[in-house]
Amino acid sequence: MAGQRILFWPCNKQGAPMASHYKNIVILTGAGISAESGISTFRDSNGLWENHDVMEVASPQGFSANPSLVYRFYNERKKQLQSIEVKPNLAHEALVELQSKLPGNVTIVTQNVDDLHERSGSRDVIHMHGELLKSRCLKTEQIFKTLGDIDELSICECCQTPGNLRPHIVWFGEIPMFMNQIESLLHEADLFLSIGTSGQVYPASMFVQIAKLGNECKTVEVNVEETAVSWNFDEKVQGPAGETVPVIVENILKGHF
Ligand code: APR
């Protein structure tokens, strides 16, 4: 896949570059944006996630079959996320700059359960697959910030009963969150950027098509390689997110993109 190069940049009559015309940008992020922060992606090592079959650790069936394994797995992921080595990278930071400098709306929809967008300072982040540093009561559906470990004996604040807390993660076979809101945002979008996602998981894999139903939305995929849905995008930018996203953001802000 050839990387895209922008040859002609629009200028106003005085020859100065035009500011961005985008009013509603929607950015979908996946595991690839956090790869340079030290968090493994899901499908880069023979379909295993940190040496586990994803169905064992990320499905309701896996949770019923072996809850201790699932609790332990997410406790480890939490520790890793909060370790000193893991921090936002240049791609996360560039998106903060875009959100703060673009006069229009910039919404980040992430499949990632890490908090690197928020840690770098992004606002309006929609976590469609849940959040690692939260847990949920199976009975009341209340959500709690939980930085430490949870297990079968953990007691939730709402019903004070052990065994009711589960990771606040959308597992395979469960319905992603905020879908109505995301669909409306995609219909309004005039730029849809997909960064670091393999396009193998529905419904996020369909977002590019939903965005194209709206008003002349430009669609751009950023990835280190060709994906299952690359053919759907108007443009592809090939390269690591930490290198490509800052350049894309700079060009959007200058009206060059
Ligand atoms: N920069 C950009 N893209 C990258 C980088 C990088 N530095 N490193 C890897 N990638 C790309 C890979 O080429 C791949 O296309 O990131 C993508 C990661 O794909 P997956 O591991 O499949 O992750 P993702 O698409 O986010 O998975 C979606 O699947 O298991 C579920 O719920 C889980 O949210 C997850 C969902």
Side-chain angles (χ1 to χ4, degrees):
M1 180 175 65
Q4 293 285 317
R5 294 284 176 271
I6 293 146
L7 301 176
F8 299 104
W9 291 349
C11 291
N12 63 18
K13 279 185 186 152
Q14 287 74 41
M18 296 192 321
S20 173
H21 56 278
Y22 294 116
K23 291 189 172 57
N24 292 302
I25 300 180
V26 176
I27 301 170
L28 172 68
T29 63
I33 198 170
S34 297
E36 290 156 79
S37 294
I39 300 180
S40 314
T41 58
F42 298 95
R43 295 181 178 77
D44 289 350
S45 43
N46 304 323
L48 298 181
W49 182 15
E50 297 282 356
N51 298 320
H52 290 278
D53 178 334
V54 288
M55 293 308 279
E56 261 179 19
V57 293
S59 72
Q61 297 88 327
F63 186 52
S64 318
N66 194 344
S68 309
L69 170 75
V70 175
Y71 281 121
R72 214 168 45 240
F73 178 78
Y74 286 101
N75 290 339
E76 281 166 22
R77 304 280 71 71
K78 271 194 216 183
K79 275 200 194 83
Q80 179 195 34
L81 178 59
Q82 296 175 92
S83 71
I84 193 133
E85 294 86 36
V86 172
K87 43 184 181 298
N89 64 51
L90 293 174
H92 296 103
E93 285 165 14
L95 297 185
V96 178
E97 193 188 350
L98 184 62
Q99 285 193 316
S100 62
K101 293 193 176 159
L102 193 96
N105 304 310
V106 180
T107 309
I108 297 171
V109 177
T110 188
Q111 297 168 92
N112 298 343
V113 296
D114 66 51
D115 64 344
L116 296 178
H117 284 302
E118 287 88 348
R119 257 202 259 169
S120 61
S122 272
R123 53 189 160 75
D124 296 334
V125 182
I126 299 175
H127 281 272
M128 60 180 292
H129 288 171
E131 292 173 73
L132 197 49
L133 300 181
K134 291 185 178 168
S135 55
R136 188 168 82 238
C137 173
L138 287 163
K139 206 163 151 202
T140 66
E141 298 285 314
Q142 277 197 57
I143 297 162
F144 305 99
K145 186 159 189 178
T146 319
L147 304 183
D149 290 359
I150 58 166
D151 59 27
E152 296 95 321
L153 299 176
S154 299
I155 292 171
C156 51
E157 288 169 38
C158 49
C159 38
Q160 298 289 314
T161 312
N164 281 354
L165 271 186
R166 62 162 274 181
H168 183 48
I169 304 283
V170 176
W171 288 326
F172 284 99
E174 296 183 324
I175 298 168
M177 291 181 274
F178 309 112
M179 286 313 298
N180 289 341
Q181 189 189 348
I182 295 169
E183 201 175 327
S184 308
L185 286 162
L186 289 168
H187 283 304
E188 294 298 316
D190 44 17
L191 174 64
F192 174 68
L193 278 183
S194 171
I195 304 171
T197 172
S198 59
Q200 292 195 38
V201 174
Y202 178 85
S205 56
M206 296 293 294
F207 289 177
V208 57
Q209 274 160 310
I210 300 173
K212 282 164 129 180
L213 296 174
N215 278 340
E216 310 240 327
C217 180
K218 174 171 165 174
T219 59
V220 181
E221 181 183 62
V222 181
N223 203 300
V224 287
E225 60 186 24
E226 189 95 23
T227 72
V229 291
S230 292
W231 60 275
N232 258 320
F233 287 84
D234 300 325
E235 288 182 20
K236 282 148 276 205
V237 178
Q238 189 170 13
E243 288 174 22
T244 52
V245 176
V247 177
I248 292 171
V249 165
E250 196 188 331
N251 285 330
I252 291 174
L253 291 172
K254 285 180 176 164
H256 297 168
F257 192 83

